[in-house]
Amino acid sequence: MDELNAFERRLAAGLDAYAGPRRPVNAVAIARAAGATSPVRRGTLLGSGRVPWRLMVAAALLVVSLAAGAVFVGSQHPQLPPVVGPAGNGLVAYSSDGDIFVGDPVTGTSTAIVTGPEPDSEPMFSPDGTHIAFIRGDPWSDDVTIVVVSDDGSDERVVMPAGLSDRGLGFAWTPDSASIVVNHDNFPFTTPYFDGELSLVDVFGRAEPRLLTPPLPIGPGGPYLNRNAPFAHMFRPPNADVILSGGANALHLWDVDLESMTELAPEELSRFEPYSTCGWCVAWSPDGSMISVALNVPDDAIDTFVMDADGTDVRAMPIGTWSPDSSKMALERCSTNPERPGAVIVVVDIASGDERVLGATSVETKTEGSVPPRPSEESEYCGWYEGPDGRVYDYEGWSWTPDGRSIVMLERAGTRPVVVDVETGDAIELPWEADSALSWRARPAIEP
Amino acid sequence: MAVITSRTADDIPGMIVAAAAGDTDAFAFLVNAYHEDMRRVCVVVTGDEGIAEEAVASAWAIAWRKIGSVRDPSRVCAWLVSVSVNEARQLLRARKRHSVVEIQVHATREHGVGQDPGAGIDAIDLRNALARLDQADRTLLAMRYLAGFNAAEIADVTGRSASGTRARLARLLHRLEKELGDG
């Protein structure tokens, strides 16, 4: 290349990075495919032009090329991403106008993989990235199903038929990607809100759906599952072999068949009221080494803790959604800045307790949510609670990116998600309008 | 594979002649030498790896039939790249769904670190800048700064004059420098 100035050198470096690394090429296979199928080199015998040789050759070469690429990728990384530890950021699933889309945050391209007249929403990649589950119908009606498709939208099947829930629906994958935990509510209702019953549904139809509550306690008053987490937080990663729940006087560790149970009752927590039955109050860290728990205290507030999986090293800690590497928590709070009321995401370092408020960015992702304002006392929590200005704020959804470096937030339905780097505060607006929280597919991490 | 690795870049004129005569090993030598140049340029032009792969596969089918028409062996790389880019642009036209979409960035630089002048341009800024360019300009950019062709080589395969190509490159560079800064 001719002599380049400084900007041209930077431009060349940038384009080189954009184009991606060079890959091994199976040149012999490509060449032989061309040589074996082209009619031109065979002279005039095939010169009628009726046979789509060019198309056939291109198709053959494409197969060879893609196969070579697949071999290359396969030789570099395992096919399925690890659940334990951070992964790379892959594609993003989201819903818009009742259809399911998969977008590439790198190129900005997006493809509708499930379309049709049915209202589809809330897609969620399985932890291994091979399937997408989503809700079909109004999730707050009894006419709602859960559908699973392959990552390209094919092989559609209903894993939970209509009628399972009479009021509201939520779901999450188990960490082993084999099942879906369905959060439903059926007559007779125990509370005027949401009773939080759970069922386990085998995605591949190898077992009948089974009710988990009881023996797991129902979670009255609100959704059981943490929508911001990439999998059902009560199932121990990576194999979903132990189910964690709050019990009367201890944490309960159930075997996956719910036939045997051991108790975990750290002495440090004995001064609190009996362990809450709140469904979302206990969660495994993504590496399965720690547990987070929220407990009622006598003044009807909630205190939160993190401990090792054996009940030792109990630490008071704000809890929310674990980062993929289990080193941080992210939670939604009200902004304490009177100039900028709204919800913010707070990231808490588990080791140090240090907090980082993502509201320090200048990105306007924090606006009044869909819950109508109502007068109330001040509260530090925002999601479905009141902010210090008496109004209510809530994100439509947010979650960690698989690499654990950013939080992706959807301010409200019909807006563009924003990805915020938790270290720098830099924010990127994705080019698609989404109706529900994004689900980011994990892919095997690439070593630097 | 030994056929490929035992030959050097000096063999390219001979490889072109042999490939034109139907020697698939010689053709494999060319595939090995230029496939990735073609694919990576197509990635920049289309912003889509899948289309880039498909375009290059289609381009090799064309090259097999027309490699004999290459008169100047030193331009074979530029010729192959231009064939693959033409295929990529046709594929883009046929697939409106896969058009390049602009990603708006609202970056908050006050928390960021200073930029290393020696490093490449910020990936997000570059991606957005590329998204605002038409395919002809993206092609020009990729051929010049990714494949490393000079204006004469680009002009030769695009059918434009060398001076016109240089002028368009200069305008494009000026525009990008304003958008992306000079560090």
Side-chain angles (χ1 to χ4, degrees), chain A residues 89-304:
Chain A
N89 296 337
L91 303 177
V92 170
Y94 65 98
S95 64
S96 183
D97 290 333
D99 294 332
I100 305 297
F101 293 78
V102 170
D104 184 341
V106 175
T107 64
T109 55
S110 177
T111 304
I113 62 164
V114 180
T115 60
E118 303 95 341
D120 299 328
S121 63
E122 301 188 27
M124 185 171 279
F125 269 112
S126 58
D128 67 6
T130 59
H131 291 82
I132 297 171
F134 58 88
I135 287 178
R136 174 162 290 166
D138 177 2
W140 290 100
S141 75
D142 60 358
D143 185 19
V144 57
T145 63
I146 294 177
V147 178
V148 169
V149 294
S150 295
D151 58 353
D152 61 357
S154 63
D155 193 21
E156 179 177 307
R157 55 189 183 276
V158 174
V159 298
M160 192 213 78
L164 180 59
S165 184
D166 298 314
R167 182 177 63 172
L169 187 74
F171 74 93
W173 287 89
T174 54
D176 60 355
S177 302
S179 304
I180 285 175
V181 182
V182 181
N183 188 194
H184 51 95
D185 192 4
N186 298 92
F187 291 117
F189 298 142
T190 307
T191 74
Y193 308 109
F194 186 77
D195 292 351
E197 293 156 339
L198 292 181
S199 286
L200 189 66
V201 178
D202 189 294
V203 172
F204 302 102
R206 294 166 300 199
E208 290 295 315
R210 61 188 174 105
L211 194 65
L212 303 179
T213 49
L216 298 187
I218 65 167
Y224 207 116
L225 299 165
N226 179 0
R227 178 65 188 168
N228 304 322
F231 54 81
H233 54 275
M234 70 286 289
F235 282 78
R236 183 170 71 177
N239 299 321
D241 53 347
V242 176
I243 304 175
L244 176 67
S245 77
N249 298 297
L251 294 175
H252 289 173
L253 300 171
W254 294 88
D255 75 299
V256 73
D257 295 324
L258 295 171
E259 292 176 349
S260 64
M261 180 267 289
T262 56
E263 291 189 343
L264 193 64
E267 188 177 344
E268 293 93 329
L269 307 185
S270 59
R271 65 189 174 89
F272 294 97
E273 287 185 337
Y275 284 83
S276 169
T277 55
C278 164
W280 51 264
C281 291
V282 291
W284 289 101
S285 63
D287 64 4
S289 70
M290 288 180 280
I291 290 169
S292 59
V293 56
L295 297 173
N296 288 332
V297 292
D299 62 2
D300 199 32
I302 292 176
D303 265 3
T304 55

Side-chain angles (χ1 to χ4, degrees), chain A residues 345-367:
Chain A
I345 303 296
V346 178
V347 176
V348 185
D349 185 272
I350 299 294
S352 67
D354 292 344
E355 296 186 1
R356 180 183 294 271
V357 180
L358 295 188
T361 71
S362 62
V363 180
E364 292 293 341
T365 59
K366 301 156 287 296
T367 64

Side-chain angles (χ1 to χ4, degrees), chain A residues 1-2 4 7-8 10-16 18-23 25 27-28 30-32 34-35 38 40-41 54 57-58 61-62 65 105-109 111 360 362-363 416 424-429 431, chain B residues 19-20 22 24-25 28 31-32 36-37 39-40 43 47 49 53-54 57 61-62 64-65 67 87 97 101-104 106-109 111 115 117 119-121 124 126-127 138 144-146 148 173 177 181-183:
Chain A
M1 204 181 293
D2 298 340
L4 302 179
F7 176 72
E8 288 179 300
R10 289 179 54 215
L11 184 58
L15 289 169
D16 187 63
Y18 181 92
R22 290 178 175 272
R23 303 172 184 167
V25 177
V28 172
I30 292 173
R32 287 183 179 165
S38 171
V40 175
R41 294 294 171 81
R54 183 178 163 187
V57 172
L61 291 171
L62 180 61
S65 179
V106 175
T107 64
T109 55
T111 304
S362 62
V363 180
R416 294 182 173 192
T424 67
D426 285 351
I428 301 167
E429 185 179 88
Chain B
T24 54
D25 286 340
V31 171
N32 195 53
E36 281 301 280
D37 290 326
R39 187 187 63 79
R40 295 175 85 239
V43 168
E49 292 223 6
E53 291 275 9
E54 197 171 337
I62 295 170
W64 173 252
R65 288 186 285 116
I67 191 73
E87 291 302 297
R97 174 185 286 180
V101 179
E102 181 175 349
I103 300 175
Q104 294 293 337
H106 298 184
T108 54
R109 300 300 185 198
H111 299 291
Q115 190 171 35
I121 290 165
I124 304 299
L126 178 60
R127 194 177 304 138
R138 290 171 73 114
R144 177 75 182 103
Y145 297 111
L146 186 62
L173 201 61
E177 207 161 1
D182 59 5

Side-chain angles (χ1 to χ4, degrees), chain A residues 318-364:
Chain A
I319 64 168
T321 302
W322 289 93
S323 64
D325 67 356
S326 305
S327 70
K328 301 181 185 71
M329 286 276 187
L331 54 145
E332 186 173 340
R333 277 188 188 158
C334 278
S335 167
T336 55
N337 182 350
E339 300 296 317
R340 305 184 59 169
V344 295
I345 303 296
V346 178
V347 176
V348 185
D349 185 272
I350 299 294
S352 67
D354 292 344
E355 296 186 1
R356 180 183 294 271
V357 180
L358 295 188
T361 71
S362 62
V363 180
E364 292 293 341

